[in-house]
Amino acid sequence: MASVQTPLRPAGLDPQASGRIQAGVARVGLWLRDHQAAIRRVQWTIIVAYVALLVAPLLAPMPTRLSHIWSNAVLFAQFVFWGIWWPFVLVSMVLVGRSWCGLFCPEGALAEAASRHGLGRAIPHWIKWRGWPFVAFASTTIYGQMVSVYQYPKPVIVVLGGSTLAAMVVGFLYGHDKRVWCRYLCPVNGVFALLSKLAPLHYAVDNQAWHAWRHRPGKPPPFVNCAPLVPIRIMQGASACHMCGRCAGFKQAVALEIRSPSHEIVHVAGGEPKSWETFLIVFGLMGLAAGAFQWASSPLFVTVRQKFAEWLVEHGGIAMIELRLPWWILTNYPDQNDMMTPLDGTLMIGYVLGIACLTTAAVSAALALSTRALGPFQIARFHHLAQCLIPMAGCGLFLGLSMTTVTLLRSEGLPLGFVGDLRISLLGGATLWCLWLAWQVSACYSASTARRLASSAGIGAAVLSGAFNWWLLFWAW
Ligand code: SF4
């Protein structure tokens, strides 16, 4: 099958060998299409495990200093959810696109099941608002910090369980046999959509074959149920696709295919500039997420908190220090000696937003210079260049999430002396990847080597502005 995309031809392989590899990959897509019942069984198994991981820790005692991951349900669930599940689902997006969403995600599977037996109403306009991926991610990130979602089981029920319940309610109300929640409202939809642009796998659509395909009389018309509502005929990237395989071979025009990991950013992203994606990359991932992982270790936060507390004591604002709010608003676990006062909560939100604003200012300035280096300033080019920062944005989020993995494994006595070097290598690799993308994207706008170098230097400055947050967290403090 000819492809409208530019598939990866592994270096050193002749076209025949490359064709054989593509054919083998396409067969994987067809295999997935033909084994949807088995995939559903896998999803229900994961759903059972997911519910058990949500509920069991609520019934278990909180861990003591003598508890282990394998002997305490709270620690075990903490390790599975935050130590393995989330960080490595992020990694999977870069490796195999959104296969997690289409093949394994319990929330997506439940949303689709609810929609199959639901009311099938039309999707209201407000659900389709393009800002949801950013707003949902930002509010979940901040709320997670307010209630210490990485530490305690009750907030996990609220954040993860609440999200799953909302997904099912939305599924029940809107669409038929669809994943309306996943397509528009899931808090990690935007992040997954960004990271999957880097995946070397995608479902490619051959437009010529699509139009040349003829329905054979006497055969039922072809039908594919794309649960996340992807317009398959015009699909050009892996961003919205859940890689479920259902459309593999559709009209003999769709096939799972290997591509260059740069392809979507360089050749697709520029044609559809999305300001909300830029906002999510720069403000959300490089700024807000970094601030959320950083604030508890920040000496600046401690100093400012101390100053404010003294000022409040002197000026009759003691309630901001003494008031205890319910655990579902602010962390409140006196037994664990872990409580957040309204002052802590307010300063935490201020700190996270402050870091996000400062990072956005620095990264945007560098992006603007990079854009200008390629000619007169154009906002579409600015958004296209912002896509080059996805490797750094994703790497930072992975490093932040994997802090829980490292902490839990260290407390089990595992020798993790290599972690510092690994973090440097990952940040270095992400930086080089961003620069490589910038170099290629710049070629879409200028043939001048000097302009392209200047533009790539601007991206380099943007990358360093983002990496600075992680340097502070892992090495400076
Ligand atoms: S386009 Fe839709 S049906 Fe096809 S693999 Fe992606 S999610 Fe599945």
Side-chain angles (χ1 to χ4, degrees):
M1 185 185 302
S3 170
V4 291
Q5 314 283 344
T6 51
L8 175 73
R9 179 175 296 166
L13 282 185
D14 60 43
Q16 262 189 339
S18 165
R20 276 199 299 276
I21 291 174
Q22 292 290 14
V25 172
R27 274 200 294 279
V28 174
L30 295 171
W31 187 90
L32 290 172
R33 178 197 66 186
D34 297 338
H35 291 82
Q36 291 293 312
I39 290 169
R40 252 201 273 267
R41 281 197 292 276
V42 171
Q43 288 170 339
W44 280 104
T45 309
I46 295 175
I47 288 168
V48 171
Y50 174 61
V51 173
L53 283 169
L54 283 178
V55 176
L58 290 174
L59 313 170
M62 285 301 288
T64 64
R65 282 186 6 197
L66 299 177
S67 303
H68 294 282
I69 291 170
W70 60 86
S71 67
N72 179 276
V74 176
L75 276 183
F76 181 75
Q78 197 183 359
F79 182 65
V80 173
F81 273 136
W82 308 116
I84 299 176
W85 189 315
W86 281 110
F88 291 99
V89 162
L90 283 187
V91 173
S92 81
M93 295 294 143
V94 180
L95 298 178
V96 288
R98 299 180 68 166
S99 300
W100 165 261
C101 302
L103 304 177
F104 306 112
C105 176
E107 191 163 298
L110 284 169
E112 193 176 339
S115 173
R116 199 170 301 133
H117 306 288
L119 304 180
R121 290 185 189 155
I123 304 167
H125 202 63
W126 65 266
I127 283 187
K128 297 182 183 176
W129 181 51
R130 290 180 180 188
W132 283 127
F134 169 77
V135 171
F137 171 79
S139 41
T140 311
T141 301
I142 289 181
Y143 181 67
Q145 293 299 311
M146 288 167 64
V147 294
S148 299
V149 72
Y150 300 133
Q151 277 85 41
Y152 300 105
K154 287 193 286 189
V156 174
I157 278 280
V158 175
V159 174
L160 296 186
S163 169
T164 304
L165 186 65
M168 291 173 70
V169 170
V170 168
F172 185 78
L173 292 176
Y174 305 115
H176 179 67
D177 222 2
K178 295 287 180 275
R179 296 185 174 200
V180 175
W181 172 266
C182 311
R183 176 80 165 91
Y184 297 107
L185 299 173
C186 171
V188 281
N189 175 37
V191 179
F192 288 178
L194 290 174
L195 294 181
S196 58
K197 292 185 189 201
L198 302 170
L201 278 176
H202 75 143
Y203 282 87
V205 183
D206 181 341
N207 273 316
Q208 277 185 338
W210 185 289
H211 290 295
W213 184 87
R214 291 287 172 267
H215 177 225
R216 285 218 243 130
K219 290 255 181 186
F223 172 74
V224 58
N225 174 31
C226 176
L229 299 146
V230 180
I232 299 171
R233 191 178 63 76
I234 55 168
M235 174 171 68
Q236 289 191 49
S239 206
C241 169
H242 284 199
M243 307 287 280
C244 68
R246 292 178 202 174
C247 64
F250 188 63
K251 294 192 175 185
Q252 295 183 324
V254 186
L256 184 61
E257 201 172 68
I258 301 181
R259 63 177 183 174
S260 157
S262 308
H263 173 78
E264 190 163 344
I265 302 241
V266 178
H267 299 293
V268 179
E272 42 184 36
K274 292 176 179 160
S275 50
W276 279 110
E277 282 195 353
T278 302
F279 207 52
L280 182 58
I281 295 166
V282 178
F283 188 91
L285 295 175
M286 297 178 81
L288 194 107
F293 287 114
Q294 200 187 69
W295 69 272
S297 316
S298 166
L300 175 68
F301 179 85
V302 175
T303 308
V304 171
R305 185 192 179 283
Q306 184 64 31
K307 295 267 181 248
F308 265 101
E310 286 166 10
W311 188 88
L312 285 168
V313 170
E314 284 169 18
H315 294 81
I318 200 81
M320 283 291 282
I321 302 167
E322 291 192 336
L323 189 66
R324 297 285 177 263
L325 292 169
W327 61 266
W328 43 271
I329 299 178
L330 277 180
T331 305
N332 188 359
Y333 300 91
D335 297 350
Q336 305 292 317
N337 203 17
D338 187 5
M339 292 155 290
M340 261 179 132
T341 64
L343 174 66
D344 295 332
T346 310
L347 289 180
M348 181 276 286
I349 294 171
Y351 182 93
V352 171
L353 292 177
I355 291 292
C357 289
L358 286 174
T359 306
T360 302
V363 172
S364 301
L367 267 178
L369 288 175
S370 171
T371 309
R372 182 66 185 82
L374 292 169
F377 185 86
Q378 288 175 355
I379 194 68
R381 196 191 305 145
F382 177 89
H383 292 312
H384 193 184
L385 285 165
Q387 300 269 322
C388 302
L389 301 173
I390 293 175
M392 177 53 74
C395 177
L397 191 59
F398 172 78
L399 291 180
L401 284 170
S402 60
M403 283 165 65
T404 303
T405 324
V406 172
T407 306
L408 287 172
L409 290 179
R410 273 210 179 115
S411 64
E412 294 297 341
L414 263 73
L416 297 179
F418 61 90
V419 165
D421 290 343
L422 188 62
R423 283 173 176 154
I424 291 178
S425 309
L426 287 173
L427 286 171
T431 303
L432 292 177
W433 196 348
C434 293
L435 291 173
W436 174 235
L437 287 171
W439 180 247
Q440 292 180 85
V441 167
S442 64
C444 302
Y445 299 99
S446 174
S448 154
T449 304
R451 281 184 180 276
R452 291 176 65 195
L453 279 173
S455 176
S456 302
I459 293 296
V463 168
L464 290 181
S465 308
F468 180 68
N469 283 326
W470 300 106
W471 174 78
L472 285 176
L473 176 60
F474 292 127
W475 292 285
W477 295 336

